[in-house]
Amino acid sequence: MKLWSETFRDGGLMPAEYAFAEIDPASRVRLAGNRNPHLAWDEVPNGTESLALFCIDPDAPQDASLVNVEGRSLPLTAPRGDFYHWSLLDIPLAMRAIAAGAFSSGITPRGKTADSGAPALRQGLNDYTGWFAGDAAMAGDYHGYDGPCPPWNDERIHHYIFRLYALDVPRLDLPERFTGQQAYAAMFGHILDEAQLVVAYSLNPELALTLKT
């Protein structure tokens, strides 16, 4: 199976238009375009009943105590784990591309609804749901795609994995309200093939400069 994007090249840099936040020289960061990138695929294997798409940041810090703290940096060696930015399920075989901005365009305080841009598909809760849980202005259920927003003081460049799975079932067994982690676990034993793209992004000005050179 092949997966590609007109938004970025595999191993390249995510344009800020597709991130949740971008660098602001005056205030460190500001909200960005938050558009989902273009994605397209081909060579889906025989026997496929549906496809599932995920976007995962495996470089997310597990301890938030140093995240975006003035005068401190988040060490390269700090414990890391997965942060789910998107889970899109029940993609039919006839669908072979996702247009840029079709599922997300701009920031939605308190989160997008599950059917945003995809009334016939299922979108799980992304991990901004937990991240904003204590923020009175932003708390809510964040369904679908919300893009990169790595800590501006992180010494590590973050990588975002867009991974497409061909499944042998038309619909995964999940509750109405599900997370990316739950969707990922539900695929066990149903995967026929997979393809992925990896793109980098940073809000640390020094690291962002190295990505552009």
Side-chain angles (χ1 to χ4, degrees):
M1 194 159 62
K2 291 184 178 179
L3 177 66
W4 68 93
S5 176
E6 295 175 354
T7 300
F8 54 81
R9 64 174 178 82
D10 187 28
L13 175 65
M14 174 74 87
E17 179 183 353
Y18 301 88
F20 195 92
E22 61 185 334
I23 294 173
D24 186 324
S27 59
R28 293 202 179 274
V29 298
R30 63 188 174 216
L31 297 180
N34 200 41
R35 303 180 73 213
N36 69 270
H38 164 272
L39 294 165
W41 53 90
D42 204 350
E43 301 183 12
V44 176
N46 293 333
T48 301
E49 295 288 336
S50 69
L51 298 116
L53 175 68
F54 294 82
C55 176
I56 303 170
D57 171 11
D59 299 311
Q62 297 301 283
D63 180 359
S65 62
L66 290 179
V67 170
N68 298 335
V69 175
E70 195 71 45
R72 301 290 300 274
S73 64
L74 187 61
L76 191 67
T77 56
R80 308 289 170 150
D82 292 339
F83 188 104
Y84 282 74
H85 285 265
W86 198 9
S87 56
L88 178 63
L89 308 183
D90 305 338
I91 301 173
L93 296 184
M95 185 174 174
R96 292 299 174 99
I98 293 172
F103 289 84
S104 178
S105 185
I107 306 296
T108 303
R110 301 185 181 279
K112 294 184 288 295
T113 60
D115 62 353
S116 296
L121 308 182
R122 286 186 294 169
Q123 298 195 92
L125 294 166
N126 66 52
D127 284 343
Y128 283 109
T129 302
W131 180 257
F132 286 126
D135 186 328
M138 295 292 284
D141 282 351
Y142 283 74
H143 290 92
Y145 178 82
D146 283 299
C149 186
W152 51 257
N153 65 338
D154 203 338
E155 295 177 0
R156 178 178 294 201
I157 294 170
H158 284 229
H159 298 85
Y160 299 84
I161 303 171
F162 289 85
R163 189 174 288 150
L164 183 72
Y165 291 92
L167 307 178
D168 65 1
V169 289
R171 185 178 177 88
L172 293 172
D173 185 15
L174 288 163
E176 181 177 352
R177 184 181 184 274
F178 63 90
T179 66
Q181 292 89 340
Q182 288 174 315
Y184 207 83
M187 294 191 303
F188 181 77
H190 297 294
I191 300 170
L192 298 176
D193 200 0
E194 64 184 81
Q196 72 174 32
L197 298 172
V198 181
V199 63
Y201 193 72
S202 178
L203 292 175
N204 182 325
E206 294 182 4
L207 294 182
L209 184 62
T210 68
L211 287 171
K212 293 180 180 179
T213 56

